[in-house]
Amino acid sequence: GLQQAAVAVANIFCISVLQGEFWGINQASYSSIIGVIINIIATVAGGPFGRMSDKIDRRIAFMIFAVGSFLPSWVMLFMGMDERSLWACQVALILGSAPTAANVPMAMLTDVTPPSDREIA
């Protein structure tokens, strides 16, 4: 929840403004196409990423999840606020969406929470 809220800050204050400025009347079309691509990639990659997180250490899988989540913000930070960086940010958003369906943070919380406290947590 907190990580997703932190990721959304860049979208609310920067990315959506740039989309309106550079994409204009095509903003809804481009955003929906990118959204469909993101959902397809998350659906296809969610299972394999979840199995990978079961085989390797979940902390490594969570770091991959975190990097993918913050990747669009980092692209905007390093490339600036122009149309080229907006498209690069969208590519980073698509690439970073692969592990989002795996629910690695919840699995990691289950690993560190004692069985007696799982009802409360």
Side-chain angles (χ1 to χ4, degrees):
L2 182 60
Q3 180 180 4
Q4 294 301 324
V7 170
V9 170
N11 189 24
I12 293 168
F13 293 113
C14 301
I15 298 170
S16 61
V17 174
L18 288 177
Q19 287 174 341
E21 181 180 337
F22 294 117
W23 293 351
I25 60 171
N26 296 320
Q27 179 178 2
S29 300
Y30 292 161
S31 294
S32 59
I33 290 168
I34 291 168
V36 168
I37 294 169
I38 286 170
N39 286 319
I40 289 170
I41 289 177
T43 302
V44 170
F49 188 79
R51 283 190 294 279
M52 181 196 73
S53 73
D54 289 339
K55 291 180 182 175
I56 64 171
D57 190 9
R58 285 203 210 279
R59 292 175 290 186
I60 295 170
F62 185 73
M63 286 189 306
I64 294 169
F65 174 81
V67 167
S69 296
F70 285 103
L71 193 59
S73 301
W74 291 338
V75 167
M76 296 299 289
L77 180 67
F78 292 117
M79 291 186 69
M81 305 258 302
D82 58 0
E83 188 171 12
R84 184 179 58 111
S85 66
L86 176 62
W87 284 107
C89 177
Q90 299 307 309
V91 170
L93 188 64
I94 291 169
L95 294 175
S97 68
T100 56
N103 222 357
V104 172
M106 293 300 287
M108 190 170 165
L109 286 173
T110 303
D111 289 346
V112 299
T113 305
S116 60
D117 292 339
R118 288 186 186 161
E119 282 183 17
I120 300 167

